[in-house]
Amino acid sequence: MIEQHKHCPICGTPIPLNERFCSPNCEQVALANQKKVQKTKRMLYVLFALFVLVWLFFMLRGQFGF
């Protein structure tokens, strides 16, 4: 019978249930991926805010005399 296990989210190697990654290398890769995702989210929020500001400028420019 196969022992209870899960797989490393980065490389797919079987690991014990109490471990998150199979090696420090896979943990570093996961941290780097997480940082990329956070940076992408931040850029998306900035671009959305910029879009809203430009939209407000064009919508309200007649009221301010621009």
Side-chain angles (χ1 to χ4, degrees):
M1 187 165 154
I2 298 176
E3 186 178 325
Q4 290 274 334
H5 68 278
K6 62 182 184 178
H7 295 267
C8 177
I10 302 303
C11 67
T13 303
I15 57 175
L17 291 174
N18 60 348
E19 299 287 329
R20 290 189 62 199
F21 303 100
C22 66
S23 68
N25 186 36
C26 283
E27 188 172 0
Q28 291 296 327
V29 170
L31 288 173
N33 288 343
Q34 187 177 10
K35 286 180 183 180
K36 284 181 186 178
V37 168
Q38 290 295 331
K39 185 177 178 180
T40 302
K41 281 184 182 180
R42 221 175 287 126
M43 286 299 295
L44 185 62
Y45 292 143
V46 167
L47 287 173
F48 182 71
L50 185 63
F51 174 77
V52 169
L53 289 173
V54 169
W55 179 77
L56 282 173
F57 173 76
F58 282 109
M59 292 301 291
L60 301 175
R61 68 180 173 177
Q63 293 177 6
F64 294 120
F66 291 125

